[in-house]
Structures are given as C-alpha cells and as structure tokens.
Amino acid sequence: MVTAQADGWRRGVRIGVDVGAARVGVARCDPDGILATPVATLARDPGPAPGRPGSPDAYIFRDMAQIAEYVREYEAVEVVVGLPVTLAGAEGIAAQHARTYAQVLGKLIAPVPVHLADERMSTVAATRRLSERGVRGKRQRAVVDQVAAVEILQQWVDKRRRT
C-alpha cells in the first residue's frame, strides 16, 4: 500500500529511500524517529533479483530486494520514498518513476506501508551539506544519494512527530 502521508505516529524504525535514475539512496531512523542516518547507496539494477527468475515478481530488481532486506533486518514499520516534484508542486517523469518504484516496492514488502514524501530540494540540500564538509567529486557522488535519503526521512519524521 502506497500512501501520501501516515495515519498516525507509532514507535519503530523507518527507512527512507531516494530513487534516482542510476542510484538509490537508503537511510534509516532510530525507533523514536529522532535521527535519520545513512545506510547505503545502491546501484539501480535492471536485472531480476537472484532466485526470482520466472516467478510472478521477476520484475523486482536487486536494489528493491536489498531494500526489502533492510526492512526485515531493521524491523521497519514504514518506508518513505521521496517524490520529486517541481518547485511549483507539479509532477514530471521523475515523479512518475518514483511512484512506480514505490508501488512495486510496496508489493514486495507488504504489509509494511510505503509513503510518498515531497522531496523538493533534498538532493540540492544534500549536495550543499557535503560541499560544506569538503566532500567533492567522486566521493560526493558516492554518498549524495544516502544524504538525500537522510534529508527526506528526517523531514518526514520531524513533520509526523509534530502532528
């Protein structure tokens, strides 16, 4: 099940996901939703997940299978996928890709819910934060997606905890 926002707050780890064309950033927060931290940057993988050829979910890619493994490992109660909308709030092709990704991921990790969160400026903020710390070039590309996932998740849990 993919939703635009949560129904209420409950204690538990959340996983944040920043979906890009080439990489997927993954973050997690503590069970109290106080601090989001980076987990991994996964390559977007066009091949089916190992052990799934010919099965009904053969289109579950390795990066999604790895996220599902993180959901199990951390006993996550929710997953938050960034929805890249424009500054004006419109959705383009990247937002449609993120919606599709969230729907497929939601089927894979059910009954754990997947929520979409407005991620305007998350990659810009992540890039700025890394630059301020002197991380540039290849080192920055390797972690910017993780930091963007942290930004998405931190904003989402902060907003949910306030309401």
Side-chain angles (χ1 to χ4, degrees), residues 105-126:
L105 181 61
K107 290 176 185 174
L108 179 63
I109 65 171
V112 175
V114 175
H115 305 288
L116 294 167
D118 183 341
E119 69 155 276
R120 269 179 264 202
M121 305 298 285
S122 64
T123 302
V124 172

Side-chain angles (χ1 to χ4, degrees), residues 28-88:
R28 67 174 284 225
C29 71
D30 61 281
D32 294 317
I34 295 170
L35 182 65
T37 56
V39 172
T41 298
L42 307 173
R44 287 291 302 269
D45 191 345
R52 300 188 191 272
S55 70
D57 58 353
Y59 295 103
I60 304 299
F61 301 127
R62 287 184 203 128
D63 51 299
M64 289 183 191
Q66 183 59 55
I67 293 170
E69 183 57 37
Y70 290 137
V71 168
R72 284 187 291 279
E73 177 183 342
Y74 296 125
E75 298 177 356
V77 297
E78 297 174 309
V79 173
V80 180
V81 175
L83 183 65
V85 294
T86 66
L87 291 177

